Amino acid sequence: VCWLSPEQTAGKQKPYMYTQGQAVLNRSFFPCFDTPSVKFTYSATVKVPEGFTAVMSATSWEKQKDNTFVFKMSQPIPSYLIALVVGDIVSADVGPRSCVWAEPCLIEAAKKEYDGVIEEFLVVGEKLFGPYVWGRYDILFMPPSFPFGGMENPCLTFVTPCLLAGDRSLVDVIIHEISHSWFGNLVTNATWGEFWLNEGFTMYAQRRISTEVYGLPYTCLEAATGRALLRQHMDATGEDHPLNKLRVVIEPGLWGINPDDTYNETPYEKGYCFVSYLAHLVGNQSKFDAFLQAYVNRFKFQSITADDTLGFFLEYFPELKEKGVDSIPGFEFDRWLNTPGWPPYLPDLSPGQQLMRPADELAELWAADGLNMEAIEAVDITGWRTYQLVYFLDQVLQKSPLPEGNVKRLSKMYPKISKAQNAELRLRWCQIVLKNNLEPEYSKVKDFLHSQGKQKYTLPLYRAMWGGSEATRALAMETFSATAPQLHVNVQNYVRKILGLGAAE
């Protein structure tokens, strides 16, 4: 249960509280079997002070007298998906079964960004994976200190306000949370050791929806950024680290670990590769889509293991079972699940090349010793979508530090990038600024860290500052002492660790 002081909110006027249950934290909120293997319906009565509103992940809710709210979740869910928020929040409709919730100062921006968007994604999801069973799909924009990108609480997804880019350039991030409506919320991993069943299938579903909406090249480009993150993660931990298996052993006797500590790119991206491999074995997209629909229908409202999933796959495709596809040398299902390391099969992302190639070539031009301005000016980036710009900046970052003066010119030439409000672009621009010691733009790093507390953005920037010059180390200390009170306690402690400070109480 997270209690925020007014300065940790966007409006800075009133306190705020929210719960974050995944993975095993709701036991501190109410008595429960805090395991995803148990599903149940629930009801709740919540009385809050005047001037505050309560919302929960429930299929129905009503406000009664004395500022009392009554909630009912009529579908069985695991404990980690029960969520409550109390704050100064208001809502606005953005579709026939969707509204956005936010603090009053953010509601206009939220409505503008998401009006009509969610329904389009839901309709495609239903076409691919079967009926949407949760009734409503609302989104709650959390205060800036919320440490995650999104949390797929049924009926009410919690998301970071970083998604409010002002130009709809990050709306597709919500496709991932929508995909959890089928994979994770409806069909759930029975243990956190098989988290890939939630996340690998959701990544696959997200990219199926994205392909239908935006086309294959764009989805391949997005998947390529995901693969790069998996590569970074495995390089940092070592490929043979036990956490780089799809089936992770979470045994108190063995490690005494918190399931939260197993959270990394592996269940997402290696899981995605395994689901893509199953699709590859089938060899026909519409047949595999039909399988996914049958899978959801077969296991809906249940908690299952990988053995259930793979057993059903072989039962659904008896001809593959006969061929023994579960034990093809090098690609054995057992190897996928129980051997750490790089995925044995990688889906073909070459359709993304038509978007990657121009970004690669442009990054090459900017990394050159003498800038060929004629060639640079010939490339028009005004039509590039977010992931193409992200991919370009990732290439520039890899080539950094660039020759003296190049980044300054790049900043001037592309205000769309250097002055972006889009958080994914801001993160990468700040990393480039730090890697190239571009002191005149250090204030952008400070501003970004003051504006949000998302773990995925905050930690890499502190690592970059701490690994840099004396000036960037000083910037890290100064920024942290100013922003620490508005950060989630876990994020505070991770930053303290990076800066060599003791953990907060």
Side-chain angles (χ1 to χ4, degrees):
V1 179
C2 303
W3 303 89
L4 306 187
S5 61
E7 65 255 34
Q8 288 173 296
T9 68
K12 312 251 184 265
Q13 302 300 311
K14 292 182 181 177
Y16 193 104
M17 73 78 75
Y18 70 91
T19 65
Q20 168 60 32
Q22 200 175 11
V24 290
L25 302 173
N26 268 346
R27 60 185 75 183
S28 68
F29 168 30
F30 61 95
C32 59
F33 295 105
D34 205 1
T35 161
S37 63
V38 176
K39 290 189 170 183
F40 49 86
T41 57
Y42 81 88
S43 62
T45 305
V46 186
K47 186 174 192 305
V48 301
E50 274 307 318
F52 290 87
T53 299
V55 289
M56 289 190 80
S57 52
T59 39
S60 77
W61 69 286
E62 58 167 319
K63 184 179 177 179
Q64 299 182 342
K65 57 179 194 310
D66 298 338
N67 226 29
T68 299
F69 296 83
V70 178
F71 301 96
K72 280 195 180 67
M73 169 49 89
S74 54
Q75 316 273 31
I77 57 171
S79 55
Y80 76 90
L81 289 176
I82 293 184
L84 166 69
V85 159
V86 179
D88 177 14
I89 52 173
V90 291
S91 67
D93 285 333
V94 292
R97 45 186 160 171
S98 303
C99 72
V100 286
W101 287 92
E103 293 179 61
C105 60
L106 289 177
I107 195 71
E108 273 311 305
K111 181 174 167 56
K112 205 170 124 208
E113 200 90 352
Y114 279 88
D115 214 0
V117 169
I118 296 169
E119 188 60 23
E120 181 187 7
F121 297 151
L122 282 174
V123 167
V124 176
E126 289 188 298
K127 189 180 93 183
L128 290 170
F129 314 121
Y132 177 77
V133 303
W134 307 100
R136 293 195 62 77
Y137 188 92
D138 296 342
I139 306 183
L140 174 63
F141 287 89
M142 299 294 279
S145 57
F146 186 59
F148 311 102
M151 180 61 217
E152 66 274 10
N153 305 309
C155 310
L156 186 69
T157 287
F158 291 7
V159 291
T160 170
C162 294
L163 295 191
L164 299 175
D167 57 2
R168 297 197 163 186
S169 55
L170 287 178
V171 293
D172 53 348
V173 174
I174 207 72
I175 300 177
H176 182 85
E177 308 310 332
I178 286 173
S179 301
H180 272 305
S181 306
W182 293 272
F183 305 97
N185 296 6
L186 197 49
V187 180
T188 309
N189 48 227
T191 73
W192 292 118
E194 295 190 326
F195 186 43
W196 78 273
L197 286 174
N198 278 14
E199 295 301 347
F201 274 89
T202 294
M203 291 306 291
Y204 187 85
Q206 168 199 322
R207 288 171 181 154
R208 279 295 295 121
I209 294 175
S210 167
T211 299
E212 296 287 309
V213 177
Y214 299 117
L216 190 57
Y218 183 72
T219 303
C220 288
L221 176 62
E222 184 275 322
T225 36
R227 188 180 294 177
L229 288 172
L230 180 66
R231 184 71 268 166
Q232 278 170 28
H233 159 72
M234 288 209 176
D235 288 347
T237 55
E239 281 197 17
D240 51 3
H241 192 287
L243 288 182
N244 291 332
K245 296 190 289 196
L246 289 180
R247 185 183 274 153
V248 178
V249 180
I250 304 180
E251 289 277 329
L254 188 66
W255 292 353
I257 52 169
N258 176 344
D260 275 346
D261 295 339
T262 67
Y263 170 86
N264 60 50
E265 300 296 337
T266 298
Y268 291 79
E269 294 295 345
K270 188 176 180 178
Y272 165 71
C273 290
F274 190 19
V275 181
S276 301
Y277 175 64
L278 297 177
H280 162 76
L281 289 174
V282 174
N284 174 311
Q285 187 65 61
S286 54
K287 272 189 185 163
F288 191 71
D289 288 347
F291 159 74
L292 289 177
Q293 228 176 92
Y295 168 72
V296 169
N297 197 37
R298 168 75 177 77
F299 295 113
K300 60 179 185 252
F301 302 117
Q302 296 177 49
S303 302
I304 63 170
T305 64
D307 294 342
D308 297 324
T309 300
L310 297 170
F312 180 71
F313 175 77
L314 294 171
E315 184 188 311
Y316 188 88
F317 294 110
E319 67 283 8
L320 292 180
K321 186 179 184 172
E322 235 163 83
K323 269 168 81 187
V325 293
D326 53 340
S327 49
I328 297 169
F331 301 96
E332 301 89 345
F333 289 0
D334 183 77
R335 176 184 166 167
W336 272 103
L337 294 174
N338 298 311
T339 309
W342 194 243
Y345 169 87
L346 294 170
D348 172 25
L349 302 181
S350 59
Q353 277 303 329
Q354 64 186 78
L355 298 173
M356 286 183 231
R357 203 172 301 110
D360 278 323
E361 287 164 2
L362 187 60
E364 283 291 337
L365 289 170
W366 279 107
D369 265 333
L371 289 178
N372 177 349
M373 289 316 288
E374 199 181 336
I376 286 172
E377 281 161 10
V379 183
D380 177 18
I381 68 162
T382 50
W384 287 15
R385 298 208 25 209
T386 303
Y387 277 105
Q388 201 171 4
L389 292 168
V390 161
Y391 181 82
F392 164 65
L393 291 179
D394 280 341
Q395 304 315 303
V396 170
L397 184 60
Q398 271 174 18
K399 299 176 197 304
S400 290
L402 303 187
E404 190 65 37
N406 286 20
V407 174
K408 205 172 159 181
R409 299 243 353 224
L410 192 151
S411 171
K412 217 172 169 157
M413 174 127 180
Y414 305 134
K416 176 180 179 174
I417 290 173
S418 59
K419 293 193 166 76
Q421 284 309 298
N422 176 311
E424 293 290 327
L425 298 179
R426 284 177 85 176
L427 166 68
R428 287 163 176 86
W429 183 247
C430 289
Q431 289 173 305
I432 288 167
V433 162
L434 291 168
K435 192 92 181 268
N436 290 278
N437 294 318
L438 191 64
E439 289 202 28
E441 299 206 14
Y442 283 174
S443 60
K444 288 187 177 161
V445 179
K446 202 161 85 177
D447 291 346
F448 186 42
L449 289 169
H450 273 266
S451 73
Q452 56 75 41
K454 187 178 165 185
Q455 191 170 306
K456 184 182 149 192
Y457 301 147
T458 302
L459 303 186
L461 290 179
Y462 277 104
R463 284 193 201 104
M465 288 189 280
W466 203 243
S469 63
E470 260 179 53
T472 61
R473 283 185 152 210
L475 180 69
M477 283 299 202
E478 177 205 339
T479 307
F480 182 59
S481 64
T483 57
Q486 69 191 43
L487 293 174
H488 186 278
V489 65
N490 290 1
V491 180
Q492 278 185 42
N493 284 333
Y494 287 134
V495 176
R496 284 173 192 280
K497 214 169 173 177
I498 293 167
L499 306 184
L501 306 165
E505 280 309 307

